[in-house]
Structure formats: structure tokens, C-alpha cells
Amino acid sequence: MKIFTVVLSLVFVAMPTLAAQVLIVADEFPAMQELARQLKEQEGWESRIVKQTEMPTDLKTFRAVVVYIHGKLLPEPEKAMVNYTHEGGKLVALHHSISSGKRTNALWFEFLGVELPKGEVTQGGYQWTEGVTLDIVNLATNHFVTTHKVRYSASGQFVSPGTAARELPLFTLHDSEVYLNHKLAGERTLLLGLRYKDAKTGREWHQEHAGWIRRSGRGVIYYLMPGHSIRDFQEQAYSRIVINAIVHQPATP
């Protein structure tokens, strides 16, 4: 019995710890802990959550890097994530990865192909508003990211620029945050739109930048706008879309 116990103990000691397949770089953690839990539960993928000051020097070992940074994006992590993507990596940028605080970064907005114009929102200026209810609309009804295991709770009319209204699948987020007037430059695949009614003015906004995919070098960037708090990631449709972006295998360009 003693010999068996010793052998069994050695077996458990020798078992390697599963390496993380996904690196999550964050400065707010409950939402990312929820995402990591769901990714493990639904796909069996392990995640490692770190602050940007704790990023490993070599990102090539990760199948995807998720960035969820609300505050200042430091120059060295910025360069590391840009280089990782250019060299063939998959970067999943969430929510405030595009925010006014990133305007001063040397590489970030050009890398993402986005601009946040200044000025009045009614004249095309960027604006964020929190504590709102908004609909997230599926613009790519045949795409893996927006459809695989995703259950939409409703459908509704969505108007893209220059087109007639379409009836599209959607889900609703409550007590969330909306970003208006992202200006996109360069080719990309649009995945998600937003539909938001301003409670003060009564204006209803329909915009197409709530989710997209963009090539960069030999790699690919996924951007998904929702993610204001853990509550957004507890919405099944949205958490599944984020997971789909992480596990998606894009076609070779």
C-alpha cells in the first residue's frame, strides 16, 4: 500500500500544468475572469490574465491575445501586441481598447484603422455614454463569429448607410456603455452594429462599428465594442461571440 501511494503521488507530481492558450491583458479583472471561466467551460481553453506590466516577452506561444485596457496603454505593451499581430497572431480587442485615452498612442489607432473625431456628436464627433440600454445587431448572418452557438433574443430593424431597413437578429444590453462615431479606415469585415436611442434627445442611432475583423500584417484583429462591465459578459449571446472570436480560424488571405 505504501509503494502504491508513493507511485501515485509521483504520477500527480509529474503531471504538467496545462499551458495557457489565451493571454488576457487587462486593467479591470472581474469581467475578464468571467470570460476566462466561460472560455474554459465551453471550449476547454486555458487563459492567463495579466496586467500590461506583467506581459510575457514572447507572445507567439499564445493562440490569441485579448486586450481589455481601460486606462493608458503603455508603449511597450502596445508595440508587443502590434508586433505579435503583424507576425501572424490573433488579437481580440474589447470595449475600451478603442477609447479617447488611446488617441496619444503612437501606433494604436493606425494599427486598428480607427479614428475618434473631435466635435459635437451630431456633427460626427466621438461620444461615449454609460448607463444605457442598447441593441447589438448581427450584421454578418453567415459568419462563424456571429452565429456559432449564438442565441439571439430578438430581431429588429437596422438601417445601414445608404440602404433600406433590414430585419436582423439582435440582443439587448442593459446598464452598458455606447460609443458613437468611430471612424473606420481600411478594409475589414463588419460583424456587429449598434442600435441606441438617446433618452435625452430621442434620436435613435444605427451604426456599424460594434464588431469587426481586420487583417494586419500576417495576423488578424477582432474588435468587439460591448464589455462595459461583467454584466455584458454574462449575456450569453455576447460572451459566445467573444469566445467565437478567440477560437475562430480565419481563412488565409
Side-chain angles (χ1 to χ4, degrees):
M1 179 61 71
K2 289 183 179 179
I3 294 174
F4 176 76
T5 302
V6 170
V7 171
L8 188 61
S9 299
L10 288 173
V11 169
F12 278 106
V13 169
M15 287 178 66
T17 302
L18 290 175
Q21 295 158 291
V22 178
L23 182 70
I24 301 176
V25 185
D27 60 0
E28 295 175 350
F29 297 97
M32 293 300 93
Q33 290 164 349
E34 173 66 13
L35 175 61
R37 182 192 68 78
Q38 293 196 43
L39 181 61
K40 171 65 174 176
E41 183 179 281
Q42 296 183 39
E43 295 293 332
W45 284 33
E46 299 286 344
S47 302
R48 177 182 171 190
I49 304 174
V50 299
K51 299 176 182 178
Q52 58 179 319
T53 53
E54 301 169 345
M55 281 175 57
T57 55
D58 185 8
L59 301 181
K60 292 193 296 292
T61 60
F62 296 100
R63 296 174 69 174
V65 173
V66 177
V67 56
Y68 185 75
I69 295 176
H70 190 181
K72 182 176 177 60
L73 176 60
L74 300 175
E76 287 307 311
E78 174 190 24
K79 291 177 186 176
M81 288 187 280
V82 169
N83 290 339
Y84 161 79
T85 309
H86 285 169
E87 292 169 4
K90 181 195 302 180
L91 187 78
V92 180
L94 300 176
H95 191 51
H96 33 42
S97 297
I98 298 177
S99 59
S100 55
K102 314 294 189 300
R103 280 189 176 119
T104 57
N105 280 81
L107 307 173
W108 197 242
F109 279 4
E110 182 178 355
F111 166 63
L112 297 176
V114 69
E115 178 186 348
L116 301 184
K118 295 182 180 180
E120 293 295 325
V121 66
T122 55
Q123 302 301 313
Y126 166 71
Q127 177 178 288
W128 59 269
T129 307
E130 61 183 350
V132 303
T133 296
L134 72 153
D135 296 324
I136 301 298
V137 182
N138 180 5
L139 301 181
T141 54
N142 294 316
H143 199 284
F144 175 89
V145 172
T146 57
T147 61
H148 181 64
K149 298 183 180 179
V150 182
R151 298 192 303 272
Y152 291 89
S153 56
S155 65
Q157 295 285 298
F158 184 84
V159 181
S160 297
T163 67
R166 294 177 289 165
E167 187 78 11
L168 293 171
L170 60 82
F171 59 89
T172 302
L173 297 174
H174 301 279
D175 195 20
S176 189
E177 186 173 35
V178 65
Y179 296 157
L180 296 176
N181 294 336
H182 282 188
K183 185 177 179 181
L184 305 180
E187 293 185 4
R188 70 196 68 216
T189 299
L190 299 176
L191 298 176
L192 299 172
L194 67 90
R195 194 175 71 171
Y196 160 66
K197 187 171 184 178
D198 189 321
K200 293 181 180 179
T201 66
R203 176 170 175 174
E204 185 166 287
W205 298 82
H206 292 214
Q207 297 195 339
E208 295 184 316
H209 59 258
W212 46 259
I213 304 174
R214 168 181 166 87
R215 289 279 175 184
S216 183
R218 292 187 287 112
V220 63
I221 307 163
Y222 299 72
Y223 175 70
L224 299 168
M225 189 198 74
H228 179 55
S229 70
I230 191 173
R231 183 171 180 171
D232 282 4
F233 293 93
Q234 290 169 337
E235 163 57 50
Q236 183 279 334
Y238 183 57
S239 62
R240 186 63 230 186
I241 287 170
V242 178
I243 291 169
N244 286 347
I246 292 170
V247 304
H248 181 229
Q249 297 297 323
T252 303

